[in-house]
Amino acid sequence: MKVNRKWLAFFMAMLILLTSFPASIFAYSGELNFKIDNYDSIKNDGSTVKKGEGIRKEDTEADYTILFYTEKSDYDPSAPFKERYDYVGSKKISNGEVGKSPDLSKVTPDGIKFPDIDKAVTSNPTELAKYYHRNENLIKEKNAGEDGNQKLISSSGKTAFSIYYD
């Protein structure tokens, strides 16, 4: 069998080219459905999709994380922000609505161990308020998106919100 060297060189070059891309280029977190037929397709909502048009379904729910921080009692006032607060724990929230902002005022740190208090205290907002108070201004500032409003839940599942206690 005779091998055409030009074609072999072409296919080898294509193989090298395609395997040199990172896999993330080809990854898509949503669902992408294409139906290409000789007739129009009808979507679930009754509207039609013309020949050769794709139907793209985005993720409508995603997980997000709430990070909890407490202010250090002995920080240097001239220290950078990151040195003034300690990370104390996090909660992963499932099935958040993509493109929406969660109501952070309703998120409680129950089950998170805060310094110098019992873990059970964090489940009781009245008891927790005796030791720590939520810094609502800082929460609003640190969770702001580019437009100044609270950032939105992304379909990537990597969105994190921070809650600060003083």
Side-chain angles (χ1 to χ4, degrees), residues 38-159:
N38 292 330
Y39 56 90
D40 293 347
S41 301
I42 299 175
K43 295 195 295 187
N44 290 343
D45 63 1
S47 61
T48 59
V49 178
K50 298 295 179 195
K51 287 186 245 178
E53 223 176 78
I55 302 169
R56 180 177 176 174
K57 296 180 183 175
E58 287 287 339
D59 291 334
T60 56
E61 293 182 341
D63 297 345
Y64 61 96
T65 305
I66 306 290
L67 306 170
F68 294 94
Y69 296 90
T70 58
E71 186 177 41
K72 293 179 181 178
S73 59
D74 58 348
Y75 72 88
D76 178 9
S78 64
F81 176 78
K82 289 183 178 184
E83 293 179 17
R84 293 182 7 210
Y85 284 85
D86 283 327
Y87 166 80
V88 292
S90 65
K91 281 185 175 182
K92 187 163 189 117
I93 310 293
S94 298
N95 303 326
E97 191 174 346
V98 171
K100 301 286 183 179
S101 294
D103 185 357
L104 296 179
S105 66
K106 294 181 179 179
V107 177
T108 59
D110 51 308
I112 306 292
K113 174 70 175 114
F114 278 41
D116 303 324
I117 61 173
D118 188 51
K119 193 175 188 178
V121 172
T122 60
S123 299
N124 183 340
T126 307
E127 193 66 25
L128 180 62
K130 294 178 183 177
Y131 303 97
Y132 290 95
H133 76 277
R134 289 171 67 105
N135 188 332
E136 296 296 340
N137 292 332
L138 190 56
I139 292 169
K140 184 176 180 180
E141 175 189 331
K142 295 298 181 180
N143 293 302
E146 294 175 8
D147 61 356
N149 295 319
Q150 184 174 305
K151 62 186 168 186
L152 307 175
I153 298 171
S154 166
S155 63
S156 70
K158 297 180 180 177
T159 309

Side-chain angles (χ1 to χ4, degrees), residues 3-15:
V3 176
N4 186 331
R5 290 179 188 240
K6 289 181 182 177
W7 279 107
L8 182 61
F10 172 76
F11 285 116
M12 292 300 289
M14 292 306 293
L15 180 65

